[in-house]
Amino acid sequence: MTRTVDVVVIGSGVAGLSTALGLAATRSVLVLSAGDGSTPWAQGGVSVAYGEDDPLDHGRDTDIAGAGFCDPRTVRVLVEEGPQRVAELIAHGARFDRNADGSLSRTLEGGHSRPRIVHAGGDATGAEVHRALLAAVRRTGVESMTGRTVGLLRSDSGRVVGVLAETGGRLARIEARAVVLATGGIGNAYLASTNPSPVRGDGIALALRAGASLVDMEFVQFHPTALHTGETSGQLPLVTEAVRGEGAVLRDAQGRRIMDGLHPRADLAPRDVVARAIEATMRRDGSEHVWLDATRVAPDLLRRRFPTVLASCARIGVDLVSEPIPVAPAEHFLCGGVRTDRNGATDAPGLYAVGEVAATGVHGANRLASNSLLEGLVFGRRVATALTVELPPAGHGRSHEVMLGEDREPERIRTILSRYAGLRRDAAGLHAAADELATAGTGPLATVARSVVVAATTRQDSRGCHWRSDHPHTDDRWNEHVVVRLDEEGLPTTRELQPS
Ligand code: SIN
């Protein structure tokens, strides 16, 4: 089967749907996806500035969480365009929680200097954002296809001109003038993640194979509080930071506060700080988890605000209201990704990237809580606007297939990445990871794992969510971004940076 459209969007989370919605009036669009990705699982909310001075503060909080490594122009785009995008989402029918006076209810999460996070269904924000966007996209008549992307089409001149997808047991060839990757992060390249299992970095591998470059791949964010279910692999239930925003605190096995004295914002310090403190406590105590104690928060508030968390807790027989619950960090978000400009254009002509798969520089070395849904809304619209103004030229002549391939040993790759490139890294472990990955083939998971490992090996300092125990301080000589490309053998490589 061969189809031709103006734009193929791969992925149907917040970023993909926002892109499709923005294009629907002017371009023929096909949304291709194998599942809905991480968006419906997002709990905490959408962080969005309000009032005249808050964009500045929101930008400052974003940059502080990002360890000063954010691109200030991109951050400005996020915080200044965000309020309008959220207002449009509400106009499309998204039902955010409101106070008795009808104003939006706003909460606090780690790294925020004031409560600016809007939420829906208590802690079911992602599901509501997704529902509203999907309904809006369906009203436009944009076409969708359920299927797994197995390759890209490239013209003789190197332009990306379409997609190959497996759908209903058949191979579909979709020719397009632009392909937008909105494939989310790399969660399941790790053993335990808050992402659903199809999310494993296929977009990253596709982009590399199509000639694009990656940046900041060492900045992999671990959420401090995934529910410790006893499972060591697969998707773990999230316990939103907003629980700490409402007053819950982290405790060790002896009941002592973990974050006391470690950071001025204590339990609401940026995510990387809290996740590392938990990891250090677990290592010290030889335990598999710490405790999140919400027993001093009003029970009716917990029940109203956190129905999703309460339901996850009930499934493992614990009760957020009356007892501390077991939590541990799990992979959550890729702050780097496919290098793009502020309109989603990658280094590969015809190929765009948006949302978690993209690296616009907005997250720096560590994403601020609840900035990800906002990123999808803001940059999805920007990609759509750019492709409305100018669509790349149609491909002429023959096209070549750039295939994603298959991994022979996915579980071994996940184990290697989790062991050596998790919250804590050092040269010896990263070299061991590279050695062990040498025989892992060139499948998508192996490509993603190598990309993280080469980037983490190259950056010999610590900042944001990249923590090198052998280089524990931020060193201004490493202020450059680490860029990853494929070498002649098709393996991810990075130019070895020289400290300046
Ligand atoms: C959370 O609710 O804690 C997660 C939200 C996010 O990833 O920003």
Side-chain angles (χ1 to χ4, degrees):
M1 164 176 50
T2 301
R3 295 284 324 279
T4 304
V5 290
D6 289 333
V7 182
V8 181
V9 177
I10 309 175
S12 59
V14 60
L17 292 176
S18 297
T19 306
L21 191 58
L23 281 166
T26 56
R27 304 290 182 204
S28 58
V29 184
L30 188 145
V31 177
L32 169 66
S33 85
D36 290 331
S38 300
T39 296
W41 299 92
Q43 292 186 356
V46 186
S47 77
V48 59
Y50 63 104
E52 275 186 14
D53 54 344
D54 196 32
L56 203 62
D57 286 353
H58 186 190
R60 196 176 300 122
D61 291 346
T62 298
D63 192 54
I64 291 171
F69 211 46
C70 300
D71 179 332
R73 291 160 306 173
T74 317
V75 171
R76 219 171 129 188
V77 163
L78 181 82
V79 299
E80 290 185 354
E81 296 182 12
Q84 183 60 25
R85 297 292 87 82
V86 172
E88 287 162 4
L89 188 63
I90 292 171
H92 282 307
R95 295 184 289 261
F96 287 100
D97 297 335
R98 295 195 176 256
N99 300 312
D101 64 1
S103 60
L104 286 170
S105 166
R106 295 177 186 264
T107 192
L108 198 60
E109 289 184 14
H112 288 270
S113 56
R114 60 167 99 169
R116 63 167 73 88
I117 294 143
V118 298
H119 45 86
D123 59 359
T125 313
E128 175 58 12
V129 167
H130 190 255
R131 183 203 64 74
L133 276 174
L134 198 57
V137 168
R138 283 190 178 140
R139 285 194 292 272
T140 66
V142 158
E143 204 182 334
S144 65
M145 180 186 278
T146 303
R148 179 168 172 256
T149 303
V150 293
L152 295 176
L153 301 173
R154 266 181 112 189
S155 70
D156 278 342
S157 64
R159 178 173 293 284
V160 175
V161 292
V163 167
L164 287 171
E166 255 171 28
T167 171
R170 291 192 307 161
L171 198 62
R173 182 184 170 90
I174 307 151
E175 293 170 357
R177 288 170 64 175
V179 173
V180 181
L181 297 172
T183 50
I186 61 167
N188 285 279
Y190 284 83
L191 283 175
S193 166
T194 60
N195 300 176
S197 53
V199 178
R200 51 169 212 176
D202 282 3
I204 298 282
L206 280 169
L208 274 178
R209 305 229 199 302
S213 43
L214 313 178
V215 67
D216 293 344
M217 286 297 290
E218 65 275 32
F219 298 121
V220 180
Q221 182 180 83
F222 284 69
H223 196 286
T225 58
L227 189 64
H228 179 71
T229 60
E231 296 290 330
T232 50
S233 179
Q235 184 182 11
L236 296 179
L238 187 65
V239 180
T240 173
E241 285 206 8
V243 178
R244 278 175 282 132
E246 299 293 352
V249 296
L250 290 158
R251 297 190 187 279
D252 67 11
Q254 287 74 43
R256 292 178 299 225
R257 296 268 309 262
I258 291 174
M259 293 308 298
D260 254 5
L262 288 186
H263 192 279
R265 289 185 181 164
D267 292 86
L268 288 173
R271 249 176 220 177
D272 61 307
V273 177
V274 180
R276 277 200 301 279
I278 293 176
E279 193 265 349
T281 303
M282 284 162 45
R283 213 157 17 88
R284 183 197 70 199
D285 294 352
S287 62
E288 290 181 350
H289 63 81
V290 296
W291 299 96
L292 181 67
D293 181 359
T295 56
R296 293 193 191 156
V297 183
D300 54 336
L301 185 141
L302 290 176
R303 290 195 187 98
R304 189 179 71 249
R305 285 281 286 110
F306 304 115
T308 312
V309 174
L310 281 161
S312 302
C313 289
R315 278 195 286 279
I316 62 159
V318 293
D319 178 21
L320 180 70
V321 174
S322 62
E323 61 186 339
I325 60 166
V327 292
E331 194 283 346
H332 184 60
F333 189 88
L334 176 64
C335 302
V338 182
R339 181 161 72 171
T340 71
D341 66 12
R342 281 183 289 286
N343 294 322
T346 72
D347 300 344
L351 186 67
Y352 295 73
V354 65
E356 187 173 348
V357 69
T360 59
V362 76
H363 303 307
N366 180 38
R367 174 174 65 79
L368 181 66
S370 283
N371 265 358
S372 58
L373 292 176
L374 188 69
E375 176 189 22
L377 294 171
V378 167
F379 290 95
R381 168 60 71 84
R382 288 180 73 87
V383 173
T385 302
L387 290 174
T388 297
V389 172
E390 189 177 4
L391 208 52
H396 291 295
R398 279 186 328 123
S399 58
H400 309 269
E401 296 174 356
V402 178
M403 300 306 286
L404 191 57
E406 295 283 346
D407 288 289
R408 292 191 307 264
E409 307 170 285
E411 219 45 32
R412 188 170 78 84
I413 296 166
R414 291 189 178 104
T415 304
I416 295 168
L417 203 60
S418 304
R419 180 177 305 152
Y420 299 119
L423 267 168
R424 192 183 175 83
R425 297 131 181 216
D426 60 30
L430 290 164
H431 288 132
D435 284 349
E436 292 183 29
L437 287 170
T439 53
T442 56
L445 219 46
T447 301
V448 168
R450 281 199 191 91
S451 300
V452 174
V453 168
V454 291
T457 308
T458 300
R459 174 169 295 290
Q460 291 171 28
D461 81 343
S462 290
R463 59 181 79 207
C465 46
H466 173 66
W467 171 257
R468 288 276 304 250
S469 57
D470 51 347
H471 296 283
H473 302 292
T474 301
D475 181 343
D476 285 346
R477 293 177 306 161
W478 290 95
N479 276 350
E480 264 191 83
H481 293 269
V482 176
V483 175
V484 176
R485 294 195 182 85
L486 287 192
D487 66 14
E488 305 73 46
E489 290 164 27
L491 298 176
T493 183
T494 167
R495 181 167 60 87
E496 195 65 42
L497 295 179
Q498 297 301 319
S500 52

